[in-house]
mmCIF file of all heavy atoms in Angstrom:
data_model
loop_
_atom_site.group_PDB
_atom_site.id
_atom_site.type_symbol
_atom_site.label_atom_id
_atom_site.label_comp_id
_atom_site.label_asym_id
_atom_site.label_seq_id
_atom_site.Cartn_x
_atom_site.Cartn_y
_atom_site.Cartn_z
ATOM 1 N N ILE A 1 0.840 -1.186 0.000
ATOM 2 C CA ILE A 1 0.000 0.000 0.000
ATOM 3 C C ILE A 1 0.878 1.240 0.000
ATOM 4 O O ILE A 1 1.957 1.256 0.599
ATOM 5 C CB ILE A 1 -0.962 0.012 1.215
ATOM 6 C CG1 ILE A 1 -1.956 1.161 1.125
ATOM 7 C CG2 ILE A 1 -0.189 0.054 2.528
ATOM 8 C CD1 ILE A 1 -3.098 1.054 2.129
ATOM 9 N N ILE A 2 0.419 2.261 -0.691
ATOM 10 C CA ILE A 2 1.087 3.554 -0.676
ATOM 11 C C ILE A 2 0.025 4.621 -0.471
ATOM 12 O O ILE A 2 -0.965 4.679 -1.189
ATOM 13 C CB ILE A 2 1.908 3.789 -1.967
ATOM 14 C CG1 ILE A 2 2.649 5.129 -1.896
ATOM 15 C CG2 ILE A 2 1.044 3.696 -3.213
ATOM 16 C CD1 ILE A 2 3.721 5.274 -2.974
ATOM 17 N N SER A 3 0.227 5.449 0.533
ATOM 18 C CA SER A 3 -0.758 6.462 0.861
ATOM 19 C C SER A 3 -0.625 7.669 -0.049
ATOM 20 O O SER A 3 0.320 7.789 -0.832
ATOM 21 C CB SER A 3 -0.609 6.890 2.319
ATOM 22 O OG SER A 3 0.532 7.722 2.481
ATOM 23 N N ARG A 4 -1.583 8.570 0.074
ATOM 24 C CA ARG A 4 -1.499 9.815 -0.683
ATOM 25 C C ARG A 4 -0.295 10.644 -0.274
ATOM 26 O O ARG A 4 0.149 11.494 -1.043
ATOM 27 C CB ARG A 4 -2.785 10.615 -0.508
ATOM 28 C CG ARG A 4 -3.060 11.043 0.932
ATOM 29 C CD ARG A 4 -4.435 11.660 1.047
ATOM 30 N NE ARG A 4 -4.718 12.123 2.396
ATOM 31 C CZ ARG A 4 -5.200 11.352 3.364
ATOM 32 N NH1 ARG A 4 -5.466 10.082 3.122
ATOM 33 N NH2 ARG A 4 -5.434 11.859 4.571
ATOM 34 N N ASN A 5 0.223 10.402 0.933
ATOM 35 C CA ASN A 5 1.430 11.059 1.402
ATOM 36 C C ASN A 5 2.693 10.261 1.095
ATOM 37 O O ASN A 5 3.778 10.605 1.561
ATOM 38 C CB ASN A 5 1.341 11.313 2.909
ATOM 39 C CG ASN A 5 0.201 12.231 3.275
ATOM 40 O OD1 ASN A 5 -0.049 13.223 2.594
ATOM 41 N ND2 ASN A 5 -0.502 11.904 4.349
ATOM 42 N N ARG A 6 2.536 9.164 0.353
ATOM 43 C CA ARG A 6 3.639 8.341 -0.156
ATOM 44 C C ARG A 6 4.340 7.524 0.914
ATOM 45 O O ARG A 6 5.482 7.076 0.713
ATOM 46 C CB ARG A 6 4.644 9.202 -0.925
ATOM 47 C CG ARG A 6 3.995 9.965 -2.075
ATOM 48 C CD ARG A 6 4.977 10.821 -2.826
ATOM 49 N NE ARG A 6 5.895 10.029 -3.630
ATOM 50 C CZ ARG A 6 6.766 10.543 -4.489
ATOM 51 N NH1 ARG A 6 6.830 11.850 -4.658
ATOM 52 N NH2 ARG A 6 7.570 9.746 -5.171
ATOM 53 N N THR A 7 3.667 7.281 2.025
ATOM 54 C CA THR A 7 4.159 6.280 2.953
ATOM 55 C C THR A 7 3.777 4.902 2.431
ATOM 56 O O THR A 7 2.755 4.746 1.759
ATOM 57 C CB THR A 7 3.583 6.483 4.360
ATOM 58 O OG1 THR A 7 2.148 6.438 4.306
ATOM 59 C CG2 THR A 7 4.020 7.815 4.933
ATOM 60 N N THR A 8 4.587 3.897 2.722
ATOM 61 C CA THR A 8 4.378 2.566 2.169
ATOM 62 C C THR A 8 4.393 1.506 3.251
ATOM 63 O O THR A 8 4.961 1.689 4.322
ATOM 64 C CB THR A 8 5.441 2.227 1.120
ATOM 65 O OG1 THR A 8 6.742 2.279 1.723
ATOM 66 C CG2 THR A 8 5.398 3.208 -0.036
ATOM 67 N N ASP A 9 3.772 0.385 2.936
ATOM 68 C CA ASP A 9 3.801 -0.774 3.799
ATOM 69 C C ASP A 9 3.664 -2.012 2.920
ATOM 70 O O ASP A 9 3.058 -1.953 1.850
ATOM 71 C CB ASP A 9 2.680 -0.722 4.837
ATOM 72 C CG ASP A 9 2.913 -1.670 6.000
ATOM 73 O OD1 ASP A 9 4.049 -2.170 6.155
ATOM 74 O OD2 ASP A 9 1.957 -1.908 6.768
ATOM 75 N N TYR A 10 4.223 -3.133 3.391
ATOM 76 C CA TYR A 10 4.251 -4.348 2.606
ATOM 77 C C TYR A 10 3.897 -5.551 3.450
ATOM 78 O O TYR A 10 4.162 -5.589 4.657
ATOM 79 C CB TYR A 10 5.642 -4.578 2.009
ATOM 80 C CG TYR A 10 6.104 -3.497 1.073
ATOM 81 C CD1 TYR A 10 6.790 -2.385 1.553
ATOM 82 C CD2 TYR A 10 5.864 -3.588 -0.296
ATOM 83 C CE1 TYR A 10 7.221 -1.390 0.683
ATOM 84 C CE2 TYR A 10 6.288 -2.603 -1.159
ATOM 85 C CZ TYR A 10 6.966 -1.505 -0.667
ATOM 86 O OH TYR A 10 7.394 -0.517 -1.524
ATOM 87 N N ALA A 11 3.319 -6.544 2.807
ATOM 88 C CA ALA A 11 3.152 -7.833 3.456
ATOM 89 C C ALA A 11 4.520 -8.447 3.711
ATOM 90 O O ALA A 11 5.460 -8.258 2.930
ATOM 91 C CB ALA A 11 2.308 -8.764 2.593
ATOM 92 N N ASP A 12 4.639 -9.182 4.808
ATOM 93 C CA ASP A 12 5.923 -9.781 5.154
ATOM 94 C C ASP A 12 6.459 -10.683 4.044
ATOM 95 O O ASP A 12 7.669 -10.769 3.835
ATOM 96 C CB ASP A 12 5.801 -10.586 6.448
ATOM 97 C CG ASP A 12 5.648 -9.713 7.680
ATOM 98 O OD1 ASP A 12 5.982 -8.512 7.609
ATOM 99 O OD2 ASP A 12 5.205 -10.234 8.718
ATOM 100 N N SER A 13 5.578 -11.333 3.333
ATOM 101 C CA SER A 13 5.984 -12.281 2.313
ATOM 102 C C SER A 13 6.659 -11.642 1.105
ATOM 103 O O SER A 13 7.317 -12.338 0.328
ATOM 104 C CB SER A 13 4.776 -13.101 1.843
ATOM 105 O OG SER A 13 3.768 -12.261 1.318
ATOM 106 N N VAL A 14 6.501 -10.326 0.937
ATOM 107 C CA VAL A 14 7.067 -9.657 -0.234
ATOM 108 C C VAL A 14 8.086 -8.594 0.118
ATOM 109 O O VAL A 14 8.678 -7.984 -0.786
ATOM 110 C CB VAL A 14 5.965 -9.039 -1.124
ATOM 111 C CG1 VAL A 14 4.925 -10.084 -1.490
ATOM 112 C CG2 VAL A 14 5.315 -7.847 -0.430
ATOM 113 N N LYS A 15 8.326 -8.355 1.392
ATOM 114 C CA LYS A 15 9.283 -7.339 1.803
ATOM 115 C C LYS A 15 10.670 -7.637 1.234
ATOM 116 O O LYS A 15 11.136 -8.768 1.276
ATOM 117 C CB LYS A 15 9.352 -7.253 3.326
ATOM 118 C CG LYS A 15 8.168 -6.574 3.965
ATOM 119 C CD LYS A 15 8.313 -6.491 5.477
ATOM 120 C CE LYS A 15 7.133 -5.776 6.108
ATOM 121 N NZ LYS A 15 7.229 -5.743 7.588
ATOM 122 N N GLY A 16 11.288 -6.608 0.709
ATOM 123 C CA GLY A 16 12.601 -6.758 0.112
ATOM 124 C C GLY A 16 12.578 -7.198 -1.326
ATOM 125 O O GLY A 16 13.621 -7.162 -1.997
ATOM 126 N N ARG A 17 11.420 -7.620 -1.829
ATOM 127 C CA ARG A 17 11.308 -8.086 -3.208
ATOM 128 C C ARG A 17 10.409 -7.194 -4.061
ATOM 129 O O ARG A 17 10.672 -7.001 -5.247
ATOM 130 C CB ARG A 17 10.776 -9.516 -3.251
ATOM 131 C CG ARG A 17 11.666 -10.517 -2.526
ATOM 132 C CD ARG A 17 11.203 -11.951 -2.782
ATOM 133 N NE ARG A 17 9.859 -12.193 -2.264
ATOM 134 C CZ ARG A 17 8.829 -12.586 -3.007
ATOM 135 N NH1 ARG A 17 8.983 -12.795 -4.306
ATOM 136 N NH2 ARG A 17 7.640 -12.798 -2.450
ATOM 137 N N PHE A 18 9.345 -6.668 -3.467
ATOM 138 C CA PHE A 18 8.381 -5.840 -4.192
ATOM 139 C C PHE A 18 8.516 -4.388 -3.762
ATOM 140 O O PHE A 18 8.818 -4.091 -2.596
ATOM 141 C CB PHE A 18 6.945 -6.291 -3.917
ATOM 142 C CG PHE A 18 6.584 -7.642 -4.473
ATOM 143 C CD1 PHE A 18 7.522 -8.466 -5.065
ATOM 144 C CD2 PHE A 18 5.268 -8.078 -4.388
ATOM 145 C CE1 PHE A 18 7.174 -9.704 -5.572
ATOM 146 C CE2 PHE A 18 4.900 -9.317 -4.889
ATOM 147 C CZ PHE A 18 5.855 -10.133 -5.480
ATOM 148 N N THR A 19 8.253 -3.484 -4.692
ATOM 149 C CA THR A 19 8.272 -2.059 -4.404
ATOM 150 C C THR A 19 7.055 -1.397 -5.032
ATOM 151 O O THR A 19 6.828 -1.530 -6.240
ATOM 152 C CB THR A 19 9.540 -1.382 -4.939
ATOM 153 O OG1 THR A 19 10.700 -2.002 -4.373
ATOM 154 C CG2 THR A 19 9.549 0.101 -4.575
ATOM 155 N N ILE A 20 6.277 -0.697 -4.224
ATOM 156 C CA ILE A 20 5.128 0.038 -4.726
ATOM 157 C C ILE A 20 5.516 1.506 -4.888
ATOM 158 O O ILE A 20 6.270 2.052 -4.081
ATOM 159 C CB ILE A 20 3.902 -0.115 -3.789
ATOM 160 C CG1 ILE A 20 2.650 0.468 -4.438
ATOM 161 C CG2 ILE A 20 4.160 0.506 -2.423
ATOM 162 C CD1 ILE A 20 1.362 0.145 -3.678
ATOM 163 N N SER A 21 5.014 2.130 -5.936
ATOM 164 C CA SER A 21 5.296 3.530 -6.187
ATOM 165 C C SER A 21 4.107 4.158 -6.898
ATOM 166 O O SER A 21 3.207 3.454 -7.363
ATOM 167 C CB SER A 21 6.580 3.707 -7.016
ATOM 168 O OG SER A 21 6.453 3.082 -8.280
ATOM 169 N N ARG A 22 4.108 5.475 -6.977
ATOM 170 C CA ARG A 22 3.020 6.168 -7.669
ATOM 171 C C ARG A 22 3.562 7.378 -8.397
ATOM 172 O O ARG A 22 4.570 7.973 -8.005
ATOM 173 C CB ARG A 22 1.908 6.572 -6.693
ATOM 174 C CG ARG A 22 2.313 7.615 -5.655
ATOM 175 C CD ARG A 22 1.253 7.744 -4.563
ATOM 176 N NE ARG A 22 -0.014 8.227 -5.082
ATOM 177 C CZ ARG A 22 -1.180 8.138 -4.451
ATOM 178 N NH1 ARG A 22 -1.239 7.524 -3.267
ATOM 179 N NH2 ARG A 22 -2.287 8.625 -4.991
ATOM 180 N N ASN A 23 2.879 7.744 -9.462
ATOM 181 C CA ASN A 23 3.190 8.922 -10.241
ATOM 182 C C ASN A 23 1.898 9.717 -10.354
ATOM 183 O O ASN A 23 1.010 9.362 -11.131
ATOM 184 C CB ASN A 23 3.734 8.548 -11.619
ATOM 185 C CG ASN A 23 4.207 9.744 -12.412
ATOM 186 O OD1 ASN A 23 3.597 10.816 -12.376
ATOM 187 N ND2 ASN A 23 5.302 9.584 -13.144
ATOM 188 N N ASN A 24 1.794 10.768 -9.576
ATOM 189 C CA ASN A 24 0.542 11.513 -9.513
ATOM 190 C C ASN A 24 0.223 12.251 -10.809
ATOM 191 O O ASN A 24 -0.947 12.415 -11.152
ATOM 192 C CB ASN A 24 0.568 12.495 -8.342
ATOM 193 C CG ASN A 24 0.481 11.797 -7.000
ATOM 194 O OD1 ASN A 24 0.195 10.610 -6.919
ATOM 195 N ND2 ASN A 24 0.732 12.546 -5.926
ATOM 196 N N SER A 25 1.243 12.710 -11.515
ATOM 197 C CA SER A 25 0.999 13.408 -12.773
ATOM 198 C C SER A 25 0.404 12.471 -13.816
ATOM 199 O O SER A 25 -0.373 12.900 -14.670
ATOM 200 C CB SER A 25 2.285 14.041 -13.299
ATOM 201 O OG SER A 25 3.240 13.070 -13.662
ATOM 202 N N LYS A 26 0.761 11.201 -13.756
ATOM 203 C CA LYS A 26 0.213 10.198 -14.664
ATOM 204 C C LYS A 26 -0.967 9.450 -14.070
ATOM 205 O O LYS A 26 -1.548 8.590 -14.740
ATOM 206 C CB LYS A 26 1.293 9.202 -15.074
ATOM 207 C CG LYS A 26 2.438 9.814 -15.859
ATOM 208 C CD LYS A 26 3.452 8.757 -16.256
ATOM 209 C CE LYS A 26 4.570 9.345 -17.081
ATOM 210 N NZ LYS A 26 5.562 8.320 -17.477
ATOM 211 N N LYS A 27 -1.302 9.758 -12.837
ATOM 212 C CA LYS A 27 -2.388 9.091 -12.119
ATOM 213 C C LYS A 27 -2.239 7.576 -12.194
ATOM 214 O O LYS A 27 -3.171 6.850 -12.539
ATOM 215 C CB LYS A 27 -3.746 9.552 -12.640
ATOM 216 C CG LYS A 27 -4.008 11.026 -12.395
ATOM 217 C CD LYS A 27 -5.459 11.408 -12.628
ATOM 218 C CE LYS A 27 -5.821 11.324 -14.097
ATOM 219 N NZ LYS A 27 -7.220 11.797 -14.338
ATOM 220 N N SER A 28 -1.039 7.115 -11.867
ATOM 221 C CA SER A 28 -0.721 5.698 -11.961
ATOM 222 C C SER A 28 -0.016 5.207 -10.708
ATOM 223 O O SER A 28 0.664 5.973 -10.017
ATOM 224 C CB SER A 28 0.170 5.423 -13.173
ATOM 225 O OG SER A 28 -0.494 5.723 -14.383
ATOM 226 N N VAL A 29 -0.196 3.931 -10.437
ATOM 227 C CA VAL A 29 0.508 3.263 -9.357
ATOM 228 C C VAL A 29 1.156 2.014 -9.936
ATOM 229 O O VAL A 29 0.610 1.390 -10.857
ATOM 230 C CB VAL A 29 -0.441 2.930 -8.181
ATOM 231 C CG1 VAL A 29 -1.550 1.981 -8.624
ATOM 232 C CG2 VAL A 29 0.337 2.354 -7.008
ATOM 233 N N TYR A 30 2.322 1.654 -9.393
ATOM 234 C CA TYR A 30 3.108 0.564 -9.946
ATOM 235 C C TYR A 30 3.508 -0.412 -8.851
ATOM 236 O O TYR A 30 3.607 -0.058 -7.678
ATOM 237 C CB TYR A 30 4.372 1.099 -10.622
ATOM 238 C CG TYR A 30 4.117 2.224 -11.588
ATOM 239 C CD1 TYR A 30 4.249 3.549 -11.188
ATOM 240 C CD2 TYR A 30 3.732 1.967 -12.895
ATOM 241 C CE1 TYR A 30 4.008 4.585 -12.069
ATOM 242 C CE2 TYR A 30 3.483 2.994 -13.782
ATOM 243 C CZ TYR A 30 3.624 4.303 -13.369
ATOM 244 O OH TYR A 30 3.377 5.327 -14.245
ATOM 245 N N LEU A 31 3.752 -1.631 -9.260
ATOM 246 C CA LEU A 31 4.305 -2.633 -8.366
ATOM 247 C C LEU A 31 5.452 -3.326 -9.078
ATOM 248 O O LEU A 31 5.227 -4.099 -10.009
ATOM 249 C CB LEU A 31 3.247 -3.656 -7.943
ATOM 250 C CG LEU A 31 3.701 -4.667 -6.890
ATOM 251 C CD1 LEU A 31 3.947 -3.978 -5.548
ATOM 252 C CD2 LEU A 31 2.673 -5.784 -6.726
ATOM 253 N N GLN A 32 6.668 -3.002 -8.658
ATOM 254 C CA GLN A 32 7.847 -3.675 -9.187
ATOM 255 C C GLN A 32 8.060 -4.955 -8.403
ATOM 256 O O GLN A 32 8.227 -4.921 -7.180
ATOM 257 C CB GLN A 32 9.076 -2.766 -9.078
ATOM 258 C CG GLN A 32 10.364 -3.385 -9.592
ATOM 259 C CD GLN A 32 10.329 -3.643 -11.080
ATOM 260 O OE1 GLN A 32 9.941 -2.777 -11.852
ATOM 261 N NE2 GLN A 32 10.718 -4.839 -11.488
ATOM 262 N N MET A 33 8.054 -6.072 -9.097
ATOM 263 C CA MET A 33 8.136 -7.382 -8.469
ATOM 264 C C MET A 33 9.425 -8.055 -8.916
ATOM 265 O O MET A 33 9.569 -8.421 -10.080
ATOM 266 C CB MET A 33 6.923 -8.233 -8.852
ATOM 267 C CG MET A 33 5.588 -7.525 -8.635
ATOM 268 S SD MET A 33 4.194 -8.319 -9.497
ATOM 269 C CE MET A 33 4.094 -9.855 -8.609
ATOM 270 N N ASN A 34 10.357 -8.209 -7.979
ATOM 271 C CA ASN A 34 11.637 -8.833 -8.266
ATOM 272 C C ASN A 34 11.768 -10.151 -7.510
ATOM 273 O O ASN A 34 11.089 -10.385 -6.513
ATOM 274 C CB ASN A 34 12.788 -7.907 -7.868
ATOM 275 C CG ASN A 34 12.813 -6.622 -8.662
ATOM 276 O OD1 ASN A 34 12.425 -6.587 -9.827
ATOM 277 N ND2 ASN A 34 13.287 -5.553 -8.032
ATOM 278 N N ASN A 35 12.675 -10.983 -8.000
ATOM 279 C CA ASN A 35 12.925 -12.284 -7.376
ATOM 280 C C ASN A 35 11.627 -13.037 -7.128
ATOM 281 O O ASN A 35 11.356 -13.512 -6.023
ATOM 282 C CB ASN A 35 13.707 -12.103 -6.075
ATOM 283 C CG ASN A 35 14.255 -13.404 -5.529
ATOM 284 O OD1 ASN A 35 14.453 -14.370 -6.266
ATOM 285 N ND2 ASN A 35 14.501 -13.447 -4.227
ATOM 286 N N LEU A 36 10.827 -13.153 -8.154
ATOM 287 C CA LEU A 36 9.524 -13.797 -8.023
ATOM 288 C C LEU A 36 9.658 -15.273 -7.691
ATOM 289 O O LEU A 36 10.583 -15.949 -8.140
ATOM 290 C CB LEU A 36 8.724 -13.615 -9.305
ATOM 291 C CG LEU A 36 8.125 -12.217 -9.475
ATOM 292 C CD1 LEU A 36 7.750 -11.961 -10.929
ATOM 293 C CD2 LEU A 36 6.906 -12.053 -8.574
ATOM 294 N N LYS A 37 8.708 -15.749 -6.908
ATOM 295 C CA LYS A 37 8.662 -17.134 -6.474
ATOM 296 C C LYS A 37 7.374 -17.784 -6.963
ATOM 297 O O LYS A 37 6.378 -17.093 -7.186
ATOM 298 C CB LYS A 37 8.727 -17.213 -4.944
ATOM 299 C CG LYS A 37 9.940 -16.535 -4.324
ATOM 300 C CD LYS A 37 9.863 -16.574 -2.814
ATOM 301 C CE LYS A 37 11.066 -15.893 -2.187
ATOM 302 N NZ LYS A 37 10.998 -15.917 -0.699
ATOM 303 N N PRO A 38 7.362 -19.104 -7.118
ATOM 304 C CA PRO A 38 6.127 -19.767 -7.537
ATOM 305 C C PRO A 38 4.940 -19.449 -6.632
ATOM 306 O O PRO A 38 3.803 -19.366 -7.114
ATOM 307 C CB PRO A 38 6.488 -21.252 -7.482
ATOM 308 C CG PRO A 38 7.954 -21.279 -7.755
ATOM 309 C CD PRO A 38 8.496 -20.047 -7.067
#
């Protein structure tokens, strides 16, 4: 989750692997997922 103030929080299972971000000018939110597991 990423708040309107850009604070973030993650589930324990994805910490260190996933990154959430947002671009307000593009009105978009992203989830970068690295080191994916089955």
